[in-house]
């Protein structure tokens, strides 16, 4: 027994040393991507507030052409989608792939170049849009000059993720690696095809909006979604100290996502001048997405079963579980929205805005927040400086996004009902939506407060102001037995 205990202690020490070496190899590049992501989150939050206020107070900042609603809203999308969410996703891919492959990051200095190129592209996108050089293509609003920076930066990151996977020392391929590997293959393909077909050698007529929504919808479903779902598969078992409920169920979820999601984007064009078979195929793909969503929901719930009390202890788990639940709800909502009778009311209303934020924020961003709270202390070796700031961040963002989604969903639905009634004057509809738009701004302000608290915590941790971290739990009391 003594020999076994000594061997076990030796194995734990060896494993801890291995993880420390892996973290040291990717510390610089991952924190570089993460720091830039947090900065763009703040920029995007300010632009979002400007755009939101203008919807119910149109004379706000009227003397500045660069801050008109159209430009501010487009720039906000560039800052949060390409700046915050994509850079944070790249950091997530690199760190988790290294950890799960038990391999150190090769040639990490070249990733600084990738991060710098991507940030130059985001600067061109955000400030180019504000200066009037944006493109009138949803999700591809950036000026053409930004594309080479995005392509090069994304290509380097994708190649490095593949390189780490090929150098893996762990024979078993965990489900998170499947999702990351899929994401770094799908996103470059999506972006290159969309740039080529829409800008470089543009197709004509109705094919352009088809390609546009094929790209726009799949950015969420085949880039952000795999990374966020894969991150939840990593964090939940890791934090609570038990294996995922069913590995085979997780693989079913992955392959059904890969098979069905690419068909789903065309339901945004229902009622438009597109072939009827294309809209119908999109509806079928959207309804079939119930399969991977149920697979993920069952797996996450069964893994957490009996451990929900640990939400009191772990800030990373709080954000992750909030995001995982949101994924289930927003996915079912998306399937409903693909139905023609449902779309007749919801389409062209603020309901669509609520749905977009439900997916991109309540699901993706909340899980990325959870990853940061778990990952950053392990990279810096320091504790978070304030539990109060983390609580402010969680409650402001969770309450803020809930109020945002519920308020705009209710207001948008009744907006659609009234728009379909020829007896209701349009001016009355505008007046009806004003309180909901004011609520949107208040919810956005609450989200911004949470982002500021998060940014302060992050800067303090990276700046070395926190206490030195020991093995095990970091800030809140957690059950024993968790690996560092």
């Amino acid at each position: 027994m003594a020999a076994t205990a000594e061997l076990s202690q030796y194995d734990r020490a060896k494993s801890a040393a291995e993880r420390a070496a892996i973290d040291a190899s990717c510390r610089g590049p991952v924190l570089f991507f993460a720091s830039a992501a947090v900065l763009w989150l703040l920029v995007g939050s300010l632009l979002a507030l400007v755009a939101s206020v203008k919807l119910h107070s149109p004379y706000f900042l009227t003397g500045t052409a660069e801050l008109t609603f159209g430009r501010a809203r487009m720039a906000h999308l560039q800052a949060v989608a390409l700046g915050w969410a994509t850079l944070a996703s790249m950091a997530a891919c690199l760190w988790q792939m290294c950890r799960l492959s038990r391999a150190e990051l090769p040639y990490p200095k070249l990733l600084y170049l990738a991060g710098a190129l991507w940030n130059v592209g985001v600067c061109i996108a955000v400030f180019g849009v504000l200066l009037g050089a944006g493109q009138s293509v949803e999700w591809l609003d950036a000026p053409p000059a930004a594309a080479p920076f995005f392509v090069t930066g994304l290509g380097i990151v994708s190649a490095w993720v593949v390189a780490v996977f090929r150098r893996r020392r762990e024979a078993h391929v965990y489900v998170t690696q499947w999702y990351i590997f899929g994401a770094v293959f799908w996103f470059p393909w999506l972006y290159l095809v969309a740039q080529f077909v829409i800008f470089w050698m543009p197709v004509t007529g109705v094919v352009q909006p088809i390609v546009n929504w094929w790209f726009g919808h799949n950015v969420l479903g085949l880039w952000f979604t795999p990374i966020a779902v894969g991150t939840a598969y990593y964090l939940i078992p890791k934090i609570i100290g038990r294996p995922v409920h069913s590995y085979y169920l997780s693989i079913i979820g992955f392959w059904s996502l890969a098979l069905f999601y690419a068909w789903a984007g065309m339901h945004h064009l229902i009622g438009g001048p597109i072939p009827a078979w294309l809209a119908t195929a999109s509806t079928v793909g959207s309804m079939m997405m119930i399969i991977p969503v149920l697979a993920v929901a069952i797996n996450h719930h069964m893994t957490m079963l009996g451990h929900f009390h640990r939400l009191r202890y772990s800030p990373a788990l709080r954000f992750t579980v909030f995001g995982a639940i949101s994924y289930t709800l927003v996915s079912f909502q998306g399937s409903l929205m693909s139905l023609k009778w449902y779309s007749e009311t919801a389409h062209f209303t603020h309901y669509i805005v609520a749905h977009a934020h439900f997916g991109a924020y309540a699901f993706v961003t909340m899980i990325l927040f959870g990853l940061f709270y778990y990952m950053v202390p392990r990279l810096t070796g320091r504790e978070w400086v304030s539990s109060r700031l983390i609580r402010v961040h969680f409650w402001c963002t969770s309450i803020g996004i809930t109020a945002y989604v519920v308020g705009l969903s209710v207001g948008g639905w009744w907006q659609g009902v009234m728009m379909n009634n020829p007896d209701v004057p349009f001016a009355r509809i505008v007046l009806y939506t004003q309180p909901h738009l004011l609520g949107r701004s208040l919810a956005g302000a609450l989200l911004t407060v949470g982002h500021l608290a998060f940014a302060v915590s992050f800067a303090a941790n990276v700046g070395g102001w926190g206490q030195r971290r020991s093995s095990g739990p970091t800030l809140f009391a957690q059950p024993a037995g968790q690996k560092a």
Side-chain angles (χ1 to χ4, degrees):
M1 287 295 292
T4 303
E6 184 177 345
L7 181 62
S8 177
Q9 185 176 359
Y10 171 77
D11 289 340
R12 286 196 298 269
K14 183 179 178 181
S15 180
E18 180 183 78
R19 289 194 298 272
I22 291 170
D23 290 343
S25 71
C26 58
R27 177 180 297 120
V30 171
L31 288 178
F32 176 63
F33 280 94
S35 300
V38 174
L39 177 61
W40 285 116
L41 176 65
L42 296 179
V43 173
S45 300
L46 293 177
L47 290 170
L49 280 177
V50 171
S52 182
V53 170
K54 281 179 171 290
L55 286 174
H56 55 81
S57 302
Y59 295 104
F60 178 64
L61 297 178
T62 53
T64 307
E66 289 77 15
L67 294 177
T68 54
F69 173 80
R71 295 189 190 183
R73 191 262 176 189
M74 290 168 63
H76 155 69
L77 181 60
Q78 300 302 299
V80 295
L82 297 178
W84 152 250
T86 296
L87 284 167
S89 295
M90 289 177 177
C93 288
L94 292 168
W95 185 71
Q96 290 180 102
M97 186 60 80
C98 287
R99 273 291 192 105
L100 291 168
S101 299
R102 295 175 53 208
E104 296 180 15
L105 187 67
Y107 307 108
K109 291 183 180 180
L110 283 175
L111 285 168
Y112 288 105
L113 174 62
L117 290 171
W118 190 272
N119 277 286
V120 170
V122 178
C123 285
I124 294 173
V126 172
F127 295 106
V129 165
L130 291 176
L131 294 173
Q135 306 297 303
S136 299
V137 183
E138 188 81 5
W139 285 93
L140 291 168
D141 310 288
F149 295 96
F150 290 143
V151 170
T152 308
L154 180 61
I156 295 173
V157 172
S158 298
W160 254 243
V161 170
V162 175
V164 172
F165 182 77
R166 292 191 63 184
R167 293 159 61 99
R168 69 189 185 278
R169 288 182 289 179
E170 176 62 54
H172 175 70
V173 179
Y174 188 61
V175 60
T176 300
Q177 292 169 287
W178 282 92
Y179 278 106
I180 291 175
F181 204 70
V184 298
F185 170 77
W186 290 322
F187 188 38
W189 167 252
L190 289 167
Y191 188 77
L192 282 171
V193 170
Q195 286 289 331
F196 186 83
V197 174
I198 294 180
F199 297 115
W200 299 342
M201 294 187 66
V203 294
T204 58
V206 74
V207 180
Q208 282 205 3
I210 290 174
V211 174
N212 181 198
W213 275 111
W214 169 80
F215 172 79
H217 200 76
N218 286 334
V219 165
L220 179 62
L222 297 180
W223 170 238
F224 295 128
T225 292
I227 293 171
V229 170
T231 298
Y233 267 119
Y234 177 81
L235 290 177
I236 293 174
K238 191 76 171 175
I239 293 171
I240 67 177
R242 65 179 298 188
V244 68
H245 171 69
S246 171
Y247 180 78
Y248 295 104
L249 190 61
S250 66
I251 296 302
I252 291 174
F254 170 80
W255 284 111
S256 52
L257 171 74
L259 179 62
F260 298 127
Y261 200 96
W263 290 90
M266 294 309 104
H267 72 253
H268 289 277
L269 299 176
I270 288 177
I274 65 172
W277 71 266
L278 196 57
T280 302
S282 180
T283 299
V284 173
S286 297
M287 298 306 296
M288 293 301 291
M289 275 298 298
I290 293 175
I291 296 174
V293 172
L294 280 178
V296 171
I298 292 171
N299 235 359
H300 287 168
H301 178 78
M302 295 304 294
T303 303
M304 279 292 300
L305 197 63
H307 295 270
F308 283 99
H309 64 280
R310 302 195 184 200
L311 293 172
R312 293 179 297 171
Y313 306 124
S314 171
L317 193 62
R318 292 182 189 180
F319 283 97
T320 303
V321 170
F322 187 100
I325 293 173
S326 298
Y327 172 62
T328 304
L329 297 177
V330 74
S331 298
F332 286 144
Q333 184 189 41
S335 295
L336 275 175
M337 289 171 60
S338 70
L339 300 174
K340 294 182 180 180
W341 65 267
Y342 199 92
S343 183
E344 286 177 356
T345 300
H347 212 30
F348 303 118
T349 69
H350 295 296
Y351 188 94
I352 303 298
V353 179
H355 175 68
H357 284 76
F358 202 178
Y361 194 100
F363 161 44
V364 174
T365 289
M366 294 296 274
I367 289 181
L368 289 175
F369 284 148
L371 176 67
F372 273 48
Y373 280 116
Y374 187 87
M375 174 182 70
V376 172
R378 287 155 177 79
L379 290 172
T380 63
R382 293 191 176 274
E383 177 55 85
W384 296 101
V385 295
S386 170
S387 61
R388 181 173 297 176
L389 282 175
I390 297 179
R391 291 187 179 95
V392 168
H393 179 207
F394 176 76
W395 290 112
C396 283
T397 52
S398 58
I399 294 173
I401 193 58
T402 301
Y404 191 108
V405 170
V406 172
L408 281 189
S409 294
V410 173
W413 183 262
W414 286 107
Q415 177 191 11
V417 170
M418 290 189 290
M419 288 172 65
N420 288 334
N421 186 348
D423 296 327
V424 178
F426 187 76
R428 180 180 170 186
I429 301 174
V430 173
L431 291 175
Y432 167 78
T433 60
Q434 277 190 325
H436 295 280
L437 296 176
L438 178 60
R440 166 184 174 162
S441 294
L442 295 175
L446 197 59
L447 292 174
T448 303
V449 172
H451 298 164
L452 288 171
F454 172 61
V456 170
S457 292
F458 180 85
N461 190 294
V462 174
W465 294 347
Q467 296 180 353
R468 281 290 177 184
R469 178 181 173 273
S470 60
S471 61
T474 54
L475 182 62
F476 298 140
Q478 289 178 312
Q482 177 188 319
K483 293 182 179 179

